[in-house]
Amino acid sequence: MSKIKNIQSRQILDSRGNPTVEVDIITENDILGRASVPSGASKGKNEAFELRDQKENIFLGKGVLKAVQNINDIIAPELIGKSVLDQICIDKLMLELDGTINKKRLGANAILAISLATAKAASNELNIPLYKYIGGIYACFLPIPLINIINGGKHSNIPSIVFQEFMIVPIKANTFIEAIQIGHKIFYQLKNILNEKGFSTNVGDEGGFSPNLNGVEDVLDHILEAIYMANYEPYDQVGIAIDCAASEFYENDRYDYSIFEKSKKNEKNLIKSREEHVSYLSYLVKKYPIISIEDGMDQNDWEGWKLLSDEIGDQIQLVGDDLFVTQVKKLNEGINKKIANSILIKVNQVGTLTETIETIHIAKKNKYKNIISHRSGDTEDTFIADLSVAFNIEQIKIGSLCRSERISKYNQLLRIENELGKYSIYSKWN
């Protein structure tokens, strides 16, 4: 039984240049497990608490030295000498040390860094791949990637697109490398189209382009054009997934598109009731090859979510992100109310690997699809790539085919595909 000999923590930078927490777990055999924590731009109100220093003169208040100190002074002394192989015990002990519902005392960023580093140290100690350490012998399939190609909302500096992410889904790819090839061709075809029309091809937080297009439908028209120009068939070979991030433009019981979308439309049409917003999403699904909508309604608009689920839940994938925040209690509420049919899994929304796995299992048991996801402020850490394979997760969101913090995860999945020798994606899109 290998025990934890030392825990070292530090403040590093994420993909936006903001501080985040990194932890090294060192075993008595001098085996290292290292993990770092991502951070989102648009966050669910019920996410586990991300502890920041709030000192404006240091990293504009975004420092994480308090979280680092909590690791060094409070958590590490309790964990040194514990078995690195006992993930559940370590995660449970940290939850007891914190003692709050949302990890506000120690910080979810402090707790998560240790939780993930522990799993990495254990897999290295046993000299087996991380995905097999977490998932066991049944970890053998890769997820379908949802490839970000246009950023809007809070992920873009261009105030013309209200929805946050537009992704392509290579639904008929037989292998992960084939899925990447399809995404690559469409991504660069879109770049050529935007360049020819004089639009910017600068990229947003997750690597998708941020052109000053004229609203949601203009974006979808350009994506459809790129799919055709790349010689693929929408619906049959490639679908479109969107992340509305509706909580970011929900105010006073209305969905106010004008918060982001400065288009040529009549301003009156940019402010919608929940019924009008649901109707618009339904219209988009009929007009375009949209097969997945994430956070179509505000995280607290359960009535709106029910309307949306009843309207198109039997036609496409409806994903709860801010709605469920990777937490069993929230997911169970959605299941009981027959709301959405899929869940986005973000490890930092809940704060430990053990809790993340529990949520994944509850979703699977109730036939909700799981989509493993990065955050807009991410690091080069590839943990979620292994996590997706560990439980044969259906899909993964890791951004676009650029920016090294995104590419690192794609590359890890390609390595895993090569290791498995099966070269197969979990399943075709249903």
Side-chain angles (χ1 to χ4, degrees):
M1 182 183 292
S2 183
K3 297 179 179 179
I4 296 173
K5 182 175 72 172
N6 193 15
I7 297 176
Q8 299 174 353
S9 60
R10 64 189 65 87
Q11 177 175 261
I12 64 167
L13 302 180
D14 68 17
S15 59
R16 283 196 285 255
N18 292 327
T20 191
V21 179
E22 182 178 77
V23 164
D24 291 350
I25 299 284
I26 302 163
T27 72
E28 60 186 2
N29 294 322
D30 290 327
I31 299 296
L32 169 68
R34 174 177 290 166
S36 54
V37 178
S39 178
S42 58
K43 299 177 182 178
K45 292 178 181 177
N46 296 300
E47 287 191 24
F49 184 74
E50 181 183 69
L51 184 60
R52 298 280 180 178
D53 296 340
Q54 305 299 327
K55 295 181 179 179
E56 282 298 320
N57 61 326
I58 301 176
F59 285 112
L60 302 177
K62 295 181 179 180
V64 292
L65 293 179
K66 178 61 177 174
V68 169
Q69 184 180 354
N70 286 344
I71 292 171
N72 295 336
D73 296 349
I74 300 174
I75 303 176
E78 297 292 330
L79 296 187
I80 290 174
K82 296 290 191 293
S83 170
V84 76
L85 303 177
D86 199 343
Q87 184 77 41
I88 294 175
C89 176
I90 287 172
D91 287 348
K92 182 180 178 182
L93 179 54
M94 287 192 290
L95 296 182
E96 291 172 351
L97 285 172
D98 180 85
T100 67
I101 295 175
N102 66 346
K103 303 172 180 66
K104 193 168 186 177
R105 177 177 176 239
L106 300 178
N109 42 349
I111 292 170
L112 180 64
I114 289 180
S115 183
L116 302 186
T118 297
K120 286 188 175 184
S123 71
N124 292 337
E125 184 76 26
L126 297 174
N127 196 29
I128 59 175
L130 180 60
Y131 65 91
K132 284 201 176 293
Y133 171 70
I134 299 172
I137 61 173
Y138 297 107
C140 55
F141 292 105
L142 280 87
I144 298 173
L146 278 59
I147 303 170
N148 186 312
I149 59 172
I150 289 187
N151 292 174
K154 274 197 169 182
H155 289 180
S156 170
N157 291 322
I158 307 297
S160 64
I161 306 168
V162 63
F163 296 163
Q164 188 164 275
E165 290 183 73
F166 296 82
M167 296 158 280
I168 51 173
V169 189
I171 52 180
K172 286 295 179 68
N174 292 306
T175 66
F176 194 78
I177 186 61
E178 182 185 349
I180 298 306
Q181 289 168 349
I182 293 169
H184 181 274
K185 191 172 183 181
I186 295 171
F187 180 72
Y188 281 99
Q189 194 62 247
L190 177 60
K191 183 176 184 178
N192 291 337
I193 291 168
L194 294 173
N195 277 329
E196 288 172 3
K197 294 182 179 181
F199 290 109
S200 168
T201 53
N202 291 336
V203 298
D205 281 344
E206 297 184 350
F209 301 120
S210 294
N212 192 18
L213 296 174
N214 189 32
V216 169
E217 291 177 61
D218 197 18
V219 171
L220 293 169
D221 287 336
H222 278 80
I223 293 174
L224 203 55
E225 182 181 356
I227 292 172
Y228 281 123
M229 290 292 288
N231 295 316
Y232 294 113
E233 287 296 323
Y235 292 108
D236 183 47
Q237 293 175 295
V238 179
I240 296 174
I242 59 176
D243 174 8
C244 296
S247 296
E248 300 301 328
F249 56 93
Y250 183 72
E251 287 188 350
N252 302 318
D253 295 326
R254 293 289 185 271
Y255 290 88
D256 186 357
Y257 289 29
S258 68
I259 291 175
F260 291 104
E261 193 164 305
K262 310 301 180 186
S263 71
K264 297 175 184 177
K265 298 176 186 176
N266 188 306
E267 284 292 319
K268 183 179 178 181
N269 294 332
L270 294 179
I271 301 176
K272 302 179 187 294
S273 66
R274 65 168 57 93
E275 291 80 9
E276 290 170 333
H277 177 59
V278 167
S279 179
Y280 183 61
L281 293 178
S282 180
Y283 157 78
L284 291 178
V285 168
K286 292 181 176 70
K287 184 177 179 181
Y288 298 98
I290 295 171
I291 59 176
S292 177
I293 294 178
E294 177 187 330
D295 277 354
M297 310 302 290
D298 176 71
Q299 60 197 302
N300 293 316
D301 186 10
W302 289 87
E303 181 181 343
W305 267 104
K306 183 60 176 171
L307 286 173
L308 183 65
S309 300
D310 290 345
E311 178 74 16
I312 57 175
D314 61 344
Q315 302 172 41
I316 68 165
Q317 178 172 276
L318 292 178
V319 186
D321 174 17
D322 293 344
L323 177 69
F324 296 139
V325 288
T326 316
Q327 295 175 16
V328 167
K329 181 180 178 181
K330 287 287 184 180
L331 176 58
N332 278 331
E333 185 176 359
I335 291 168
N336 292 334
K337 293 180 178 179
K338 293 182 168 55
I339 285 173
N341 53 36
S342 307
I343 180 173
L344 208 69
I345 300 293
K346 294 175 174 175
V347 289
N348 78 319
Q349 284 183 332
V350 64
T352 66
L353 177 58
T354 299
E355 292 167 290
T356 301
I357 293 172
E358 183 182 3
T359 302
I360 289 171
H361 286 326
I362 293 294
K364 282 180 172 287
K365 181 180 178 181
N366 289 276
K367 294 182 170 49
Y368 273 54
K369 289 183 179 178
N370 287 287
I371 302 98
I372 298 291
S373 179
H374 61 170
R375 300 306 298 256
S376 55
D378 218 304
T379 72
E380 64 275 20
D381 194 306
T382 61
F383 191 98
I384 62 171
D386 284 78
L387 181 63
S388 71
V389 179
F391 296 106
N392 297 321
I393 298 297
E394 293 93 331
Q395 300 150 48
I396 192 167
K397 278 179 58 178
I398 42 181
S400 195
L401 296 174
C402 68
R403 298 186 58 128
S404 60
E405 76 280 358
R406 318 295 157 182
I407 295 299
S408 64
K409 297 165 182 60
Y410 283 112
N411 285 342
Q412 178 65 0
L413 285 165
L414 291 172
R415 294 184 195 105
I416 293 172
E417 183 172 57
N418 185 249
E419 285 176 12
L420 289 173
K422 298 187 183 219
Y423 299 97
S424 55
I425 286 181
Y426 175 71
S427 66
K428 302 296 188 297
W429 197 276
N430 294 325

